[in-house]
Amino acid sequence: MAEAVVALPDLAATARLGGLIADRLRAGDVVALSGGLGAGKTSLARSIIAALGHQGEVPSPSFAIIEPYDPPATRLPVVHADFYRLKHPAEADELGLDDYRAGAALIAEWPEMAGGFAHEADCLSITLLPQEISAGQPRRAIVSPGISWLDRGPWT
């Protein structure tokens, strides 16, 4: 399954996409969420984590940078990271990202600030595009699967 464009006109559509991702998510996977401020990265991350079974609050990891979730609260270990504040990709290593990732799925907001993950076969890259009111376009997600995700679609 190649790249797909998914319309996200409301939170329910975002939750549906998050549910699809969560159903197909495996330990070792990366879901890399890119897009500008307010594009919906945290909303989609929250939807994925909720669909994995977490019933509590899912705070934005903007300040903590890394927020882990473990079974039984979630179906599998997952790490939610927000790399916006990193000044250099090497800082991800200093945070112990590899240790957090061991045996867990990673949901990465602002992945480019940590050096990116799209080169990894287990990466599902999602670029969130804002609503274009003048063009009548809803918010959209461009879903680009890595090699190991190719047989896990469709996304619409």
Side-chain angles (χ1 to χ4, degrees), residues 2-3 12 38 62 66 76 79 93-94 97 99-100 136-137 152-153:
E3 186 174 276
S62 294
I66 294 176
L76 61 106
V79 175
D93 294 332
E94 293 170 15
L97 182 61
D99 292 333
Y100 281 104
Q137 291 283 330
R152 297 192 227 176

Side-chain angles (χ1 to χ4, degrees), residues 103-154:
L106 171 64
I107 302 170
E109 296 185 45
W110 300 95
E112 60 278 4
M113 302 300 281
F117 301 93
H119 63 281
E120 296 183 20
D122 295 328
C123 183
L124 180 68
S125 296
I126 300 175
T127 301
L128 293 154
L129 303 173
Q131 180 176 3
E132 296 176 25
I133 296 170
S134 62
Q137 291 283 330
R139 181 176 301 200
R140 297 171 315 277
I142 300 173
V143 181
S144 303
I147 293 169
S148 76
W149 283 87
L150 290 176
D151 64 349
R152 297 192 227 176

Side-chain angles (χ1 to χ4, degrees), residues 78-92:
V78 63
V79 175
H80 181 196
D82 183 332
F83 298 118
Y84 180 76
R85 295 183 355 180
L86 298 187
K87 305 262 187 285
H88 190 277
E91 291 181 71

Side-chain angles (χ1 to χ4, degrees), residues 14-62:
T14 300
R16 277 192 300 279
L17 178 59
L20 287 173
I21 294 167
D23 287 347
R24 299 162 186 177
L25 194 64
R26 303 174 188 155
D29 285 342
V30 176
V31 179
L33 305 176
S34 299
L37 288 171
K41 295 178 296 296
T42 301
S43 293
L44 182 54
R46 286 178 173 143
S47 294
I48 296 167
I49 294 166
L52 287 170
H54 185 75
Q55 296 185 7
E57 181 182 348
V58 177
S60 171
S62 294

